[in-house]
Amino acid sequence: MEKLLLSEIAHCLNAECPEEKVITEISTDTRNLPAGCLFIAIKGERFDGHAFIKQAIENGAAAAVSEYPVDGCPCIVVKNTRTALLKLAKYYRSKFNPILVGITGSVGKTTTKEMIALVLSEKYKTLKTQGNLNNEIGLPKTLFNLDSSYQAAVIEMGMSDFGEIERLSNTAVPTIGVITNIGFSHIENLKSQEGILKAKLEILSGMKSDAPLIVNGNDRYLAPLKEEFKSSRSVYLYGTDDKCDFRAKNIIEENGITRFTLVYNGVNTEIEIPCAGKHNVLNASAAFCVGILSGLNENEIVSALKKYKPDGMRQNIVKKGDKTVIIDCYNASPDSMKATLNVLADMKCKGRKIAVLGDMLELGDMSEKLHRLVGEYAAQCHPDRLYCYGENAMYIAAEASEHGLASCAFHKDSKDLMAEKIKEDLQSGDIILFKASRGMKLEEVIDEIFG
């Protein structure tokens, strides 16, 4: 972060400055308060940062942003500290002029972010969202890491309800927008896929009219945007459909590596990514599009995508002795479940193919229906064994049984019992997939089985 004066911050927040100081860092966490730090006291569901203001000042914070004065502490007093955090982050971001890619979507945001950041890093010094810092607290933290040395930034935007993406976009001001797909995540709050589309399109609120929008042309909700916005904004489609501006074809998967041809403007480019799944072809195609729009050439983009490495909890394929394990325990939705089951189905195997699936969370009233849809799809992929864990995963097992997997679909209420059953069942050469929402902690089963 580059230095700010406390008076400059106070002016940005339309508040009074308690005294002049130089601010070199901004934090919402009392565990991270270097000298010259401004502490912003955030109220959360389970905590209130105001209770730690005195401690923050004692620990070295130069001042605090709070919603009321605190005796003996230099405070910039504002009406709402969450709003102040976003406002200050937007002001700080305005000091720089990077290529800033904003990414949202129901699934695939993080993988697409990583691939785009790799591509841009071939030519530009690039900042990217770390971990899951994609909300109204995390996104400002990322923006405060900008400085004049960065030429690009890739910012992930998550949400659970209407208005959140709008606030994030207005803060980050993307110069390029990317929407990966419209699925079912957070449908509990947004009620329908049309509602999810409306919420994701809030990314446009912070983008200038000449900032391009890149969307998944295979998605029936996103593909029409090219025609809908043709008179007001450049929209680029990526995918496998003929209508896509960046079209992937000749997809070949082998030994965890995927090769395909990307066609744009009549030019064929051969691409290799060190991960499996046609959904990752879409993610890489989005990154290719961003690269071209950002001034990179085909060779630079191809070189970057070869360097991609899956996250340890996101479709990471590892060897455990003579068995292959697909670890995908970070998040789950119907679309990502299907994508990962496709990976399992397409892999060459000397033994058997085993799927271990857990609950998909935050699906509201549609939870049973969507879990049953996954069960039906799982049966179409013909795994040799299907183990399901969780209250709603029993619908996956039930539906899979009705569609042909009655002899090999099992539901367990206990992780320990399921781990024990799988351990007894595993054979040499087996491939075993683990997939569930993060809250199910399915990695504990992996640890129990393999140590």
Side-chain angles (χ1 to χ4, degrees), residues 38-240:
L38 176 68
F39 175 67
I40 301 184
I42 300 294
K43 288 183 179 179
E45 292 181 2
R46 300 178 183 177
F47 65 90
D48 184 352
H50 290 79
F52 302 99
I53 289 178
K54 285 189 176 181
Q55 177 186 336
I57 300 301
E58 290 171 359
N59 288 348
V65 175
S66 65
E67 295 178 7
Y68 50 79
V70 177
D71 289 344
C73 298
C75 292
I76 295 175
V77 180
V78 297
K79 185 176 181 180
N80 184 296
T81 51
R82 283 177 172 266
T83 301
L85 178 62
L86 290 170
K87 189 173 183 180
L88 182 55
K90 179 177 182 177
Y91 169 74
Y92 183 76
R93 182 260 183 269
S94 71
K95 290 177 170 288
F96 312 102
N97 190 34
I99 297 167
L100 196 145
V101 183
I103 304 172
T104 190
S106 294
V107 294
K109 293 187 297 295
T110 300
T111 300
T112 305
K113 173 204 72 182
E114 293 295 329
M115 289 186 176
I116 291 174
L118 273 174
V119 167
L120 293 179
S121 294
E122 284 291 303
K123 187 170 183 177
Y124 309 112
K125 183 179 178 183
T126 302
L127 176 71
K128 66 177 181 179
T129 299
Q130 297 293 332
N132 61 349
L133 295 177
N134 63 4
N135 59 17
E136 294 181 48
I137 306 298
L139 181 142
K141 289 182 178 181
T142 300
L143 292 178
F144 288 132
N145 286 320
L146 275 173
D147 60 43
S148 55
S149 70
Y150 283 104
Q151 300 158 298
V154 188
I155 306 296
E156 184 178 330
M157 300 181 186
M159 61 96 200
S160 59
D161 213 336
F162 293 111
E164 293 178 49
I165 295 293
E166 179 179 6
R167 292 190 289 272
L168 295 176
S169 181
N170 283 329
T171 301
V173 192
T175 61
I176 298 174
V178 178
I179 306 179
T180 60
N181 47 46
I182 303 300
F184 294 93
S185 301
H186 307 297
I187 203 165
E188 183 174 11
N189 292 330
L190 302 171
K191 306 305 179 186
S192 67
Q193 285 185 285
E194 288 80 7
I196 293 170
L197 172 64
K198 181 181 178 182
K200 298 302 183 184
L201 283 174
E202 290 175 4
I203 195 172
L204 298 175
S205 63
M207 295 168 56
K208 294 181 179 179
S209 60
D210 60 351
L213 179 66
I214 299 169
V215 300
N216 183 344
N218 287 10
D219 190 291
R220 67 188 183 98
Y221 291 96
L222 295 173
L225 296 179
K226 188 175 182 71
E227 180 67 20
E228 183 178 336
F229 293 142
K230 67 179 181 180
S231 62
S232 59
R233 184 182 300 277
S234 295
V235 176
Y236 296 88
L237 304 182
Y238 66 88
T240 57

Side-chain angles (χ1 to χ4, degrees), residues 265-299:
N265 285 344
V267 177
N268 289 1
T269 302
E270 302 303 320
I271 295 177
E272 177 183 302
I273 51 176
C275 51
K278 292 182 176 63
H279 60 293
N280 280 320
V281 170
L282 297 180
N283 298 334
S285 299
F288 190 98
C289 181
V290 170
I292 292 296
L293 295 182
S294 301
L296 281 81
N297 63 44
E298 296 92 328
N299 292 335

Side-chain angles (χ1 to χ4, degrees), residues 305-425:
L305 290 173
K306 277 187 177 181
K307 301 172 187 175
Y308 173 72
K309 293 182 180 179
D311 179 274
M313 294 287 283
R314 284 187 174 89
Q315 207 173 102
N316 190 19
I317 301 175
V318 298
K319 295 292 290 186
K320 298 285 187 179
D322 59 1
K323 302 166 186 67
T324 301
V325 183
I326 307 172
I327 304 170
D328 202 347
C329 304
Y330 192 84
N331 214 335
S333 68
D335 290 327
S336 65
M337 282 280 196
K338 290 180 180 180
T340 309
L341 285 166
N342 285 337
V343 170
L344 177 64
D346 290 341
M347 290 182 71
K348 294 179 180 179
C349 181
K350 294 181 180 179
R352 300 163 307 158
K353 296 181 180 182
I354 300 170
V356 183
L357 307 181
D359 284 2
M360 302 176 289
L361 305 179
E362 298 181 343
L363 296 177
D365 294 340
M366 293 187 68
S367 185
E368 179 180 342
K369 177 182 178 181
L370 295 175
H371 280 85
R372 287 189 179 277
L373 283 174
V374 169
E376 181 180 351
Y377 192 81
Q380 295 172 18
C381 294
H382 306 293
D384 298 290
R385 294 284 190 279
L386 174 64
Y387 291 94
C388 300
Y389 165 72
E391 181 180 349
N392 290 296
M394 69 177 180
Y395 299 121
I396 298 178
E399 200 68 22
S401 296
E402 289 186 19
H403 286 80
L405 296 186
S407 64
C408 58
F410 309 94
H411 175 259
K412 298 291 183 183
D413 291 320
S414 162
K415 286 182 187 175
D416 290 338
L417 289 176
M418 187 167 72
E420 183 180 338
K421 174 69 173 173
I422 295 171
K423 212 179 216 181
E424 293 173 355
D425 191 26

